Amino acid sequence: MFCLNRGSDWQEPMETSHSWQDSQSSHFFWSKDEADEAQVEQIGVSACGATAVINVLKVLKLDHDVETINSAIHTRLRAEDAPLHEYLFSRALAGTVADDLIEGFKKVAGDKVYARFYHFFPKRKVNLIDWLREWMKMGVVPLMTLNLQRGVKAGEEIPDAWHHQMVFGVDADHVHLCNPIVACTPEILEEQLCSESVLKIRREDILSRIDSRCDLEGLNRHSDVRWSEMDVKGQVLKVLREEVSLSLPDTAYFQVLKKWLFASHICIPAEYKSGITLCCTTDNKEAYEKLKNSSDLPWL
């Protein structure tokens, strides 16, 4: 997972004041200026999960040094130099999932923090901003696991990964997140929060790894049956056939034509689950009891 820009679907956060933080439609742990100063930005490759945990602990006033948290959270890396099949397997679980982050809170903060993950796929019956604001006013910090490959407008570049981000504020129209600091509409977030566990892999990342070490049959031998059900091997073969069936000059015009004619990505199964992890201190008794005993969000 990497820190990625969102394109035109997010806005620069507005300046906030403490009086605005107390309004009925808004709640902020940090103002925009405070977030600029207080947030920890991406601490390493695929480490958006550990970065989000650091920011949550800062809001909860349980600061720990970066290295302690980073070492407590097992961040898996992409096998960039591996054969294609091993590279794809590594992409399916690179970074962290919500369970890794919850385990990280336990390792770092012990019983001082309680964290619970709420699934948002399949689609849930919930008003996202109202739900977030209700919890945040109780001192509960949301941490989103988003599929940034969803909700991308036609013509915009598809991001390369999922992403974990802490929410530092909500207002009537936007959710404000850090690493990077962005203000997103609930509509785009709901699409990124309601995602199947899949990951798009760029065409060029396939073609650049075709060599004698490649074992396409291995793609069908994965213990996760989704690799066979999604016919990942067939998707890779289709990319290869497209590449050899039509030889186009390496010019700007034909590169545009190739993007129009050929598949830009393949899809593979992923370990990530889209949703929101809610975090609070256990000495915040009201929030802790409510979070521990609340029901899962109902399906739409």
Side-chain angles (χ1 to χ4, degrees), residues 14-119:
M14 297 172 60
E15 294 297 329
T16 63
S17 66
H18 289 287
S19 61
W20 190 42
Q21 291 179 39
D22 295 334
S23 71
Q24 289 187 344
S25 61
S26 307
H27 189 80
F28 283 78
F29 296 125
W30 295 330
S31 70
K32 167 60 167 56
D33 286 342
E34 289 168 341
D36 279 333
E37 183 175 345
Q39 74 155 342
V40 172
E41 298 181 277
Q42 191 84 357
I43 63 171
V45 175
S46 296
C48 58
T51 305
V53 169
I54 292 168
N55 284 317
V56 169
L57 291 174
K58 286 175 73 73
V59 172
L60 294 177
K61 310 298 184 186
L62 293 171
D63 287 16
H64 288 74
D65 68 88
V66 170
E67 284 307 315
T68 297
I69 297 173
N70 195 30
S71 62
I73 296 174
H74 178 50
T75 299
R76 293 168 290 273
L77 300 178
R78 302 179 183 186
E80 296 285 2
D81 298 323
L84 175 62
H85 61 290
E86 294 180 9
Y87 168 76
L88 292 177
F89 294 157
S90 76
R91 288 296 308 273
L93 46 73
T96 50
V97 298
D99 286 346
D100 296 319
L101 307 187
I102 291 172
E103 186 62 26
F105 281 117
K106 292 177 182 177
K107 289 180 180 178
V108 172
D111 60 1
K112 293 181 180 179
V113 172
Y114 178 74
R116 175 179 172 181
F117 181 73
Y118 286 82
H119 291 275

Side-chain angles (χ1 to χ4, degrees), residues 60 102 105-106 110-116 140 277-282 287-293:
L60 294 177
I102 291 172
F105 281 117
K106 292 177 182 177
D111 60 1
K112 293 181 180 179
V113 172
Y114 178 74
R116 175 179 172 181
V140 176
T277 303
L278 296 181
C279 316
C280 71
T281 57
T282 52
Y288 172 52
E289 291 299 326
K290 182 175 180 179
L291 187 56
K292 191 169 61 170
N293 297 312

Side-chain angles (χ1 to χ4, degrees), residues 220 224-232:
N220 284 337
D224 185 342
V225 297
R226 293 181 299 162
W227 287 82
S228 296
E229 292 172 349
M230 294 177 66
D231 191 19
V232 177

Side-chain angles (χ1 to χ4, degrees), residues 101-243:
L101 307 187
I102 291 172
E103 186 62 26
F105 281 117
K106 292 177 182 177
K107 289 180 180 178
V108 172
D111 60 1
K112 293 181 180 179
V113 172
Y114 178 74
R116 175 179 172 181
F117 181 73
Y118 286 82
H119 291 275
F120 271 68
F121 178 83
K123 193 170 179 62
R124 306 292 158 149
K125 186 177 181 180
V126 63
N127 181 300
L128 180 62
I129 285 183
D130 288 349
W131 186 77
L132 289 171
R133 183 175 57 246
E134 178 185 350
W135 282 112
M136 292 170 70
K137 285 188 173 182
M138 296 183 70
V140 176
V141 185
L143 190 168
M144 292 187 168
T145 300
L146 303 165
N147 182 358
L148 299 188
Q149 297 183 326
R150 289 177 58 86
V152 180
K153 290 184 177 180
E156 291 185 352
E157 184 177 354
I158 297 174
D160 197 33
W162 288 47
H163 197 37
H164 300 293
Q165 286 180 273
M166 188 199 80
V167 177
F168 71 86
V170 293
D171 58 41
D173 302 309
H174 295 91
V175 178
H176 300 254
L177 306 102
C178 58
N179 186 38
I181 293 178
V182 290
C184 297
T185 64
E187 290 78 18
I188 189 65
L189 284 178
E190 285 167 2
E191 189 160 0
Q192 294 173 344
L193 280 168
C194 182
S195 171
E196 294 181 295
S197 298
V198 297
L199 179 69
K200 293 180 179 180
I201 306 295
R202 295 178 300 196
R203 177 188 189 87
E204 53 266 34
D205 289 333
I206 302 297
L207 294 173
S208 64
R209 290 174 172 82
I210 297 296
D211 58 27
S212 59
R213 302 175 300 160
C214 180
D215 177 15
L216 293 185
E217 292 301 325
L219 295 173
N220 284 337
R221 293 196 296 268
H222 197 286
S223 58
D224 185 342
V225 297
R226 293 181 299 162
W227 287 82
S228 296
E229 292 172 349
M230 294 177 66
D231 191 19
V232 177
K233 173 188 171 183
Q235 293 183 66
V236 171
L237 288 173
K238 181 176 183 292
V239 168
L240 296 179
R241 292 191 192 103
E242 288 174 344
E243 195 67 18

